[in-house]
Each structure stands twice: as structure tokens, then as C-alpha cells.
């Protein structure tokens, strides 16, 4: 167990042990299978987590529902104060929690710390909301009447998260939902269970200090069985699901069947368009991070470079040089010199290998990379592909690995057409110096994605803006100024203080 190795003493700073309990509902108790958590950098077991049984899930749901009543009655600014304290507790554990994310998920330490910072930022956003949550009074057409829009918490919500952002995605949901007055059950990815336990311990420490029932933020570590149970549970008013399009589609249908609400954050197939007038220095700098960073394991990773034919050869040749300059810096994500870490699982390595084989079979050219790196852990070479048609099924699907397809375009209109022709609609960017092209890109005939950037990579969002995508990305939005609406229910209240009954539209019945 890596937890016994003094090099990983930060695990103990987070209250983790060799065997951890993966269920929290005010108390820590689990009866499900033991899950081993592996480091993708070396394939070794970090520690173990006992997951939730069906009965454990039931206990969580019941405890969370019971906890909701008092939580919903707490004034909103008081809930904001709890979230502020969670932000501070995260600040205190920033370094060890970042190290754990790096060790368990595999992203490099600066990105892992950035992910914890994102949770802290969303706590700040939620704190502000706790003093500003709006409700509108509308003019009524009836004399002596008033129309009020009243927002109330949903109650119990479920948060199912993906492996690649094991802290931030929970934080985006939890901080805002807490301020809104909801309680939650978190079902994290079963390949990042230690991170989920560590985050929940931090949240628990704040709840305990304030005499708030822990079940306000319940945790159920488990696999698809627990996810499925949560999705089916009618008590769960909203299922916020982050993960692949295939699973998200099933989740959406299941939740809809019981008329629950869903918030879906699914796969992407993000493109950067390189205009003929693009600043190529800027582009190359951005593209390296966007295509190869996080070993291609961001939902917003650039998977397609749509490059104007006038600069196509130059961009591909310079990108190859840029990739060549970082291959020596692929390695242990916890080391300061590392720029690119491993893939998360052996299954991801297999998906990478079969995609590369299929590229070759279909007549594509591997311009750079294409191989698994022979060392312990799950490392692959970042890969550049040319020669596949823009509408090839490979180009149109998301392989969650560092493979980018370079495709020539004749003009911006063609670039926009290609950008929009895939099923997914998460993130997109154009590199140009032309103001008219910028406005075309962000206008009705421009990108159809939820994230539409100019002269920056497709990845690396801020919490101030709404995050999410259209089409097969699921249509959900998290963060941003009005994210709270997803976690509340809206009632239109009409109050009559006139002393007589008057009907709308001035309807009068005959005598
Ligand atoms: P995944 O779909 O395999 O798993 C996501 C979560 O769903 C996990 O917690 C998993 O245990 C759970 N799950 C699996 N089957 C389930 C079922 N039948 N019912 C309920 N829950 C179930 O995804 P992953 O491999 O962990 O993550 C990678 C994917 O997530 C990529 O497609 C990526 O683009 C996407 N992603 C999207 C966003 C976004 O904001 N749009 C963010 C991060 C990741």
C-alpha cells in the first residue's frame, strides 16, 4: 500500500487510512465491497475503501431526507456561512488534497491543485449568492393583487461524478446546492474513492463544528449499481450527472421516466478553428495544453484542430515540434518537472491503442506519437493525426486520450460547419485577429457549443461563467450567476389583498 510509504504522508494529513469507509450519513459505516484505489502512475494500490451496499444507500437517503428539514429552515446567509467555512477548510488542505488528486486521478499537481481551487472559488460564488438570491415581484393585471416568484429548495439531490474531476465537479454542485437549501448524496467515480472520502471528511469537519447533521452532505462510494439505485430513487429530486454520453443518456431517460429533474454534463468533441490570420505563437501555446494537457482527459480537451489550408503545414509541423519538446516531461504527475501524467486506467490505454490502430487502418497518418510508453503505470504518447476526413466516425467520436485530429479547412464557414457537425456540443474556440469573424463565430451561425472561446484553448473554464454543452453533451449548466436555478423549484404566488375575487383576463360570468 502506497499509504504506508513516507513519500505519501499527505494521505494521513487528510485523515485517510489503509482501509477507509466510503459511506457517510452523519456516521461513517459501510457494508459493500472493498474497492482498491490504484495510482495510475505506477499501478500500485494506494489504499482501500469499503463501498456502499444497497442498505447503506437506503440509510444515506433516509438520513439525508431527515436532515433536510432543519437545513431548509436555516436562513440562507447562515447556509452561506457554512459554505464559506468549507472554502476555508479546503484552503487549509489545498496542498495535500491536490496531491491526493494527482496521485489517484493522475493529473499533474498544478492542475490537481487548480481543481481544488475551483471548489474554493465556487464556495466564494455560493457565499455571494447567499446574500443575493433573487425573487421577483411582478405587476398584476388585477387591482389589489401581487404576483411573487418564490424559490424553494428541491430537497434531496444526487450528484454522480466522473473520475477526471474528482473534486471540482462535486464542489460545483455541492456549494451552490447547500446555499439553495438542498441536501445531497454524492456517488463519486469508483476509481477515485479516496478523493471522495477526503473531501467528505473536510466538509464533515465544518458541519460538526456548526452542529449541522452530517447527512446534509452524504457520501455513497460505489459503482454503477449504486448509481443506478440513486437514479431510480423518487426521493432524489434532481440527479446531477457528469460522465460519458452513453451512460448520461440512460440516466436522463431513467430520471425523466419518473419525472425527476436531471442536469447532464456529458462528453465533448471540442475543436479549435485556426483562421488564416491567427496568431500562431498564441495558437501553438494554447493547443499544446488543450490537446495534450491532462493526457487528453478533460471533457474540454481539444480533439480536432480545424486549420486553414494556408497555414495547415506550418501548424502541424510546429505542433509536432512542441510535442517533441514535452515527451521527456511525461511522467510521475506529482513531480514538479512533469507536464503530462498517465491515463487513468488500463482500459483507457486499451481504448487509446485501438483508436490508434483504427486510425492507421482507415488511412490516417500518425504525425506524432501513437505508442504506449514502456514503463510502469498507464502512460501513452500524445498523438497527432492527419489525413482522416472531417466526417470520419473516428473523428466524430470522443476517445478519452491525447489524440488530436488535424483537418484542413478552406475558410471559417467550413470550419464552423465541421465544428458543428459532431453530436457533442461542449467547447470550441477560434484563433483569429478579425473582429468580424469573432462576431460571426459567437453569433447565430457560429459555434453551436455551450462554450465558445476566442484566442484561448477549449479547456480551462472559470466558475463565473456557466459551464456545460448542447446536444449530446446533455444541455446542463453548472456554475455561473444563475446556476442556482437548477437546484431550486419555482412557485408563482398570487396574493389577493383587494377583498374581492377578480379573475385574470377580466373574465366575468353572466348573472
Ligand atoms: P462514466 O460515464 O463511465 O462514469 C461516470 C459516473 O457514472 C461514475 O460515477 C460511474 O460510476 C457512474 N455510472 C456508471 N454507470 C452508471 C449507471 N448505469 N447509472 C448511474 N451511474 C452510473 O464516465 P467517466 O469515464 O468517469 O468520465 C469520463 C467522461 O465524462 C467523458 O466522456 C467526459 O467527457 C465526461 N465528462 C464530462 C464533463 C462535463 O462537464 N461535460 C466533465 C467531466 C467529464
Amino acid at each position: 500500500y502506497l499509504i504506508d510509504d513516507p513519500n505519501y504522508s499527505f494521505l494521513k494529513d487528510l485523515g485517510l487510512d489503509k482501509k477507509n469507509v466510503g459511506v457517510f450519513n452523519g456516521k461513517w459505516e459501510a457494508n459493500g465491497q472493498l474497492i482498491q484505489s490504484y495510482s495510475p502512475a505506477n499501478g500500485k494500490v494506494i489504499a482501500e475503501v469499503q463501498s456502499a451496499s444497497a442498505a447503506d444507500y437506503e440509510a444515506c437517503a433516509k438520513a439525508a431526507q431527515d436532515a433536510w428539514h432543519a437545513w431548509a429552515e436555516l436562513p440562507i446567509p447562515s447556509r452561506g456561512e457554512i459554505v464559506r467555512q468549507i472554502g476555508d477548510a479546503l484552503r487549509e488542505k489545498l496542498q495535500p488534497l491536490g496531491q491526493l488528486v494527482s496521485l489517484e486521478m493522475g493529473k499533474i499537481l498544478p492542475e490537481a491543485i487548480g481543481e481544488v481551487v475551483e471548489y474554493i472559488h465556487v464556495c466564494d460564488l455560493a457565499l455571494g449568492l447567499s446574500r443575493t438570491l433573487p425573487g421577483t415581484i411582478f405587476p398584476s393585471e388585477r387591482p389589489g393583487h401581487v404576483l411573487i416568484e418564490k424559490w424553494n429548495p428541491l430537497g434531496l439531490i444526487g450528484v454522480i461524478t466522473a473520475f477526471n474531476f474528482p473534486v471540482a465537479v462535486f464542489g460545483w454542485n455541492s456549494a451552490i446546492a447547500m446555499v439553495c437549501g438542498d441536501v445531497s448524496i454524492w456517488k463519486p467515480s469508483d476509481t477515485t474513492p479516496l478523493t471522495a472520502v477526503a473531501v467528505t471528511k473536510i466538509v464533515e469537519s465544518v458541519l460538526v463544528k456548526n452542529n449541522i447533521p452530517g447527512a446534509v452532505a452524504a457520501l455513497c462510494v460505489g459503482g454503477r449499481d449504486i448509481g443506478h439505485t440513486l437514479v431510480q430513487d423518487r426521493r432524489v429530486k434532481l440527479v446531477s450527472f457528469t460522465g460519458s454520453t452513453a451512460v448520461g443518456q440512460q440516466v436522463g431517460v431513467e430520471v425523466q421516466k419518473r419525472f425527476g429533474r436531471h442536469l447532464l454534463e456529458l462528453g465533448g468533441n471540442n475543436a479549435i478553428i485556426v483562421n488564416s490570420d491567427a496568431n500562431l505563437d498564441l495558437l501553438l501555446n494554447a493547443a499544446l495544453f488543450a490537446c495534450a494537457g491532462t493526457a487528453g482527459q478533460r471533457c474540454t480537451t481539444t480533439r480536432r484542430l480545424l486549420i486553414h489550408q494556408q497555414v495547415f503545414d506550418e501548424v502541424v509541423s510546429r505542433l509536432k515540434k512542441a510535442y517533441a519538446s514535452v515527451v521527456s516531461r511525461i511522467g510521475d504527475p506529482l513531480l514538479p518537472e512533469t507536464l503530462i501524467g498517465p491515463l487513468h486506467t488500463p482500459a483507457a490505454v486499451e481504448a487509446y491503442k485501438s483508436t490508434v490502430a483504427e486510425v492507421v487502418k482507415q488511412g490516417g497518418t500518425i504525425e506524432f506519437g501513437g505508442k504506449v510508453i514502456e514503463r510502469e503505470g498507464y502512460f501513452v504518447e500524445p498523438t497527432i493525426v492527419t489525413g482522416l476526413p472531417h466526417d470520419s466516425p473516428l473523428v466524430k467520436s470522443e476517445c478519452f486520450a491525447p489524440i488530436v485530429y488535424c483537418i484542413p479547412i478552406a475558410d471559417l464557414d467550413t470550419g464552423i460547419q465541421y465544428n458543428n457537425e459532431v453530436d457533442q456540443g461542449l467547447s470550441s474556440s477560434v484563433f483569429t485577429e478579425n473582429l468580424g469573424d469573432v462576431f460571426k463565430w459567437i453569433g447565430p451561425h457560429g459555434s453551436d457549443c455551450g462554450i465558445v472561446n476566442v484566442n484561448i484553448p477549449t479547456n480551462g473554464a472559470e466558475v463565473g461563467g456557466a459551464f456545460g454543452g448542447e446536444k449530446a453533451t446533455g444541455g446542463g449548466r453548472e456554475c455561473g450567476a444563475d446556476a442556482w436555478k437548477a437546484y431550486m423549484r419555482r412557485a408563482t404566488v398570487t396574493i389577493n389583498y383587494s377583498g374581492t375575487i377578480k379573475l385574470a383576463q377580466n373574465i366575468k360570468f353572466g348573472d
Side-chain angles (χ1 to χ4, degrees):
Y1 292 100
L2 293 181
I3 195 163
D4 295 328
D5 182 333
N7 285 325
Y8 304 105
S9 60
F10 57 83
L11 296 167
K12 300 259 162 79
D13 298 343
L14 294 164
L16 295 173
D17 242 312
K18 206 183 288 188
K19 281 201 170 42
N20 301 277
V21 178
V23 180
F24 177 69
N25 61 31
K27 48 186 195 313
W28 291 91
E29 198 181 311
N31 300 285
Q33 285 177 333
L34 263 191
I35 300 177
Q36 295 192 317
S37 169
Y38 294 89
S39 161
N42 52 32
K44 292 186 179 139
V45 179
I46 306 168
E48 290 181 336
V49 178
Q50 184 139 26
S51 64
S53 65
D56 293 334
Y57 172 82
E58 185 53 34
C60 275
K62 190 156 181 330
Q65 270 211 315
D66 290 348
W68 178 68
H69 301 287
W71 182 245
E73 288 303 329
L74 209 61
I76 302 179
S78 305
R79 296 198 294 257
E81 167 58 17
I82 302 295
V83 173
R84 183 193 69 74
Q85 290 182 32
I86 292 173
D88 280 354
L90 288 163
R91 283 180 177 92
E92 274 172 33
K93 300 281 185 193
L94 181 60
Q95 190 66 24
L97 189 55
Q99 286 171 298
L100 168 58
V101 170
S102 187
L103 179 67
E104 190 179 45
M105 183 275 156
K107 63 179 73 173
I108 59 170
L109 186 57
E111 291 188 64
I113 287 187
E115 173 170 3
V116 182
V117 168
E118 225 172 318
Y119 188 175
I120 294 169
H121 283 173
V122 82
C123 288
D124 292 348
L125 182 86
L127 173 64
L129 264 180
S130 75
R131 293 280 176 180
T132 55
L133 266 184
T136 312
I137 298 182
F138 297 105
S140 168
E141 66 191 46
R142 288 168 277 188
H145 287 59
V146 64
L147 278 176
I148 296 174
E149 193 175 77
K150 179 76 173 77
W151 293 85
N152 281 308
L154 290 174
L156 173 59
I157 69 158
V159 183
I160 300 178
T161 53
F163 78 85
N164 65 330
F165 276 88
V167 173
V169 172
F170 168 71
W172 294 351
N173 284 280
S174 172
I176 294 184
M178 283 183 96
V179 161
C180 291
D182 297 329
V183 296
S184 62
I185 300 179
W186 178 17
K187 208 294 291 166
S189 167
D190 51 2
T191 55
T192 53
L194 288 171
T195 301
V197 170
V199 168
T200 302
K201 281 181 185 285
I202 291 169
V203 173
E204 178 198 18
S205 69
V206 173
L207 295 177
V208 166
K209 207 162 50 186
N210 291 277
N211 285 319
I212 308 276
V216 160
L219 170 71
C220 261
V221 168
R224 91 175 45 154
D225 49 339
I226 294 293
H228 187 68
T229 307
L230 186 151
V231 165
Q232 304 280 329
D233 188 346
R234 288 180 169 273
R235 292 167 294 188
V236 178
K237 304 289 188 243
L238 163 75
V239 176
S240 172
F241 176 88
T242 301
S244 58
T245 292
V247 177
Q249 187 175 40
Q250 291 170 26
V251 167
V253 169
E254 290 301 323
V255 175
Q256 175 59 30
K257 270 192 207 153
R258 60 176 179 83
F259 292 108
R261 278 201 209 177
H262 52 65
L263 195 172
L264 301 176
E265 297 276 0
L266 314 180
N269 187 348
N270 318 294
I272 292 180
I273 296 179
V274 186
N275 248 10
S276 55
D277 67 341
N279 175 336
L280 295 188
D281 294 335
L282 208 65
L283 177 265
L284 266 300
N285 202 324
L288 184 60
F289 168 56
C291 308
T294 334
Q297 299 169 109
R298 286 189 185 227
C299 52
T300 50
T301 292
T302 299
R303 312 215 177 266
R304 297 175 296 149
L305 283 174
L306 309 175
I307 309 165
H308 196 283
Q309 58 204 19
Q310 281 171 14
V311 292
F312 185 85
D313 290 344
E314 182 183 351
V315 168
V316 173
S317 118
R318 286 180 65 181
L319 192 65
K320 283 160 71 173
K321 283 203 190 95
Y323 272 44
S325 72
V326 297
V327 277
S328 63
R329 296 178 70 182
I330 299 174
D332 183 342
L334 278 162
L335 296 178
E337 62 270 23
T338 303
L339 288 178
I340 300 174
L343 288 179
H344 186 57
T345 56
V349 175
E350 287 310 310
Y352 168 87
K353 271 164 60 179
S354 65
T355 302
V356 169
E358 195 58 30
V359 164
V360 174
K361 202 164 132 199
Q362 294 196 11
T365 306
I366 307 290
E367 298 280 352
F368 190 93
K371 289 190 288 301
V372 174
I373 299 173
E374 292 306 325
R375 55 172 284 169
E376 63 174 9
Y378 317 135
F379 292 89
V380 300
E381 292 174 347
T383 301
I384 303 171
V385 174
T386 57
L388 285 184
H390 62 92
D391 55 356
S392 125
L394 272 181
V395 174
K396 291 177 82 175
S397 59
E398 179 196 49
C399 172
F400 220 54
I403 300 173
V404 66
Y405 300 103
C406 297
I407 291 155
I409 52 170
D411 49 31
L412 178 62
D413 285 338
T414 316
I416 293 173
Q417 182 205 324
Y418 292 178
N419 178 71
N420 294 353
E421 74 185 351
V422 297
D423 289 341
Q424 308 86 340
L426 180 54
S427 186
S428 56
S429 186
V430 70
F431 276 72
T432 183
E433 302 292 304
N434 180 315
L435 200 55
D437 284 349
V438 169
F439 280 93
K440 179 185 268 189
W441 173 239
I442 67 173
H445 300 296
S447 168
D448 65 359
C449 293
I451 297 170
V452 184
N453 291 338
V454 178
N455 292 338
I456 66 159
T458 49
N459 48 359
E462 304 178 19
V463 301
F467 183 93
E470 303 296 331
K471 306 189 293 186
T473 303
R477 292 294 187 279
E478 287 165 350
C479 294
D482 65 351
W484 58 273
K485 287 185 177 171
Y487 305 91
M488 301 193 89
R489 65 184 170 83
R490 170 197 223 165
T492 301
V493 181
T494 310
I495 299 172
N496 173 12
Y497 58 92
S498 71
T500 55
I501 294 295
K502 297 185 182 73
L503 301 181
Q505 295 86 43
N506 204 21
I507 292 173
K508 294 195 176 84
F509 298 106
D511 293 329

